[in-house]
Amino acid sequence: MSNKLLVIGESRDGSLRNVTFEAIATGKKINTDAEIVGVLCGDDVSNDQAQEMIYYGADRVITVNHENLKTYTSEGYGQALMAVINEESPDGIVMGHTSVGKDLTPKLASKLGSGLISDAVDMEVDGDTVAFIRPIYSGKAFEKKVITNGVTFITIRPNNIPMLERDESRSGDVSSKEVDITDIKTIIKDVVRKAADGVDLSEANVIVAGGRGVKSEEGFKPLYELADILGGAVGASRGACDAEYCDYSLQIGQTGKVVTPDLYIAVGISGAIQHLAGMSNSKVIVAINKDAESNIFNVADYGIVGDLFDIVPQLIEEIKKY
Ligand code: FAD
């Protein structure tokens, strides 16, 4: 049974990502009595961020600040985290299955000589045994995995394991750790990001995704309107990205983002297996497609057979009434 669990937090644009809090909840689920130690790395980690981890269930938080941690590199973050891990000797480590988590955790696990269960979406606790459930074969099946010895090292898929209630009455120690991170071969000087408006796709509760059926960049505009009134984000199939109707950063699927929103509206998407790999675990799937035989209807909870150019504006009009 894990008595001390390290939760590696992640922030974006100065705010902690929700998956950080979901990782804390995962730690509590692994062992309600475990001490949850949050870790935050960066060049300017604030006390407020550390406090947020405590409000969401961490018992204490360690921050590592260094100018070479401004932007993520596996080398820099690896050094910082290994210093914390060596000092704390945790029984388990939990982190989000994000692009950083996917890159960083295999490296840390190999340094620790530990196993790693990645992309867990749920877990079953039976006494001292914790089995983690993760999708395999592009989401067509699930496997249960147990770590039998060594550090319980887990990454969790965002938006699957509910975070705990935020509780401002909680308190805990926040300490900073000095780590010398100068002996690294790569330093990212600048990240030039394309402007991305609105809700982060990987953490959105509602996604309106367009496919090749949307036919043009112009055709995506009503999808943005629909996503906007639902408080969601716009995604896309690779078909739509390849056709240059939208940016590849919106691609969902095997070679794109893996998402698990509460509501996924697939508009003019055929439902190729590679697309399903990225969205079939969404809680409710609505498909709009003019072809009743389209594969997307095999995974949809609600299907609308018809022309998307008629249906999407009607949907917008109806939802606006509420
Ligand atoms: P299409 O298959 O062309 O489907 C368009 C759909 O729109 C059709 O079902 C059609 O009936 C419908 N439609 C057309 N007009 C209308 C209308 N007016 N109203 C309503 N419906 C309409 N794909 C991904 O999405 N994500 C991935 O990560 C991904 N990775 C891949 C990796 C590999 C190695 C390979 C080989 C492929 C990958 N693909 C991926 C591509 C995938 O195989 C499909 O080609 C792609 O998903 C198809 O996109 P689509 O559904 O938008 O287009």
Side-chain angles (χ1 to χ4, degrees), residues 44-120:
D44 188 21
V45 179
S46 69
N47 197 50
D48 285 356
Q49 289 178 338
Q51 284 301 334
E52 276 305 304
M53 285 189 91
I54 290 168
Y55 294 156
Y56 277 98
D59 295 298
R60 61 186 170 94
V61 177
I62 299 166
T63 60
V64 186
N65 276 297
H66 194 285
E67 58 178 347
N68 288 341
L69 297 176
K70 180 176 181 184
T71 311
Y72 168 77
T73 60
S74 62
E75 229 186 339
Y77 274 56
Q79 284 182 23
L81 288 163
M82 277 312 293
V84 175
I85 292 167
N86 286 334
E87 191 171 277
E88 293 288 332
S89 304
D91 304 294
I93 305 173
V94 190
M95 164 162 212
H97 195 68
T98 57
S99 42
V100 170
K102 284 182 226 176
D103 187 52
L104 181 63
T105 50
K107 183 171 179 151
L108 293 178
S110 74
K111 278 189 187 296
L112 290 169
S114 150
L116 170 66
I117 297 179
S118 62
D119 203 16

Side-chain angles (χ1 to χ4, degrees), residues 266-293:
V267 185
I269 292 177
S270 60
I273 187 70
Q274 296 89 353
H275 187 75
L276 301 189
M279 47 63 72
S280 61
N281 287 325
S282 304
K283 282 146 205 146
V284 175
I285 299 172
V286 176
I288 303 169
N289 199 302
K290 66 178 182 185
D291 174 8
E293 299 299 317

Side-chain angles (χ1 to χ4, degrees), residues 143-164:
E143 66 176 1
K144 271 187 210 169
K145 273 195 158 175
V146 176
I147 290 183
T148 49
N149 57 35
V151 177
T152 307
F153 209 154
I154 313 293
T155 63
I156 56 160
R157 185 178 285 198
N159 221 3
N160 276 272
I161 295 163
M163 58 179 99
L164 304 171

Side-chain angles (χ1 to χ4, degrees), residues 32-33 94 135 143 180 195 198 206 230 262 269 280 312:
T32 16
D33 297 327
V94 190
E143 66 176 1
D180 183 24
V206 177
L230 292 171
D262 295 334
I269 292 177
S280 61
V312 175

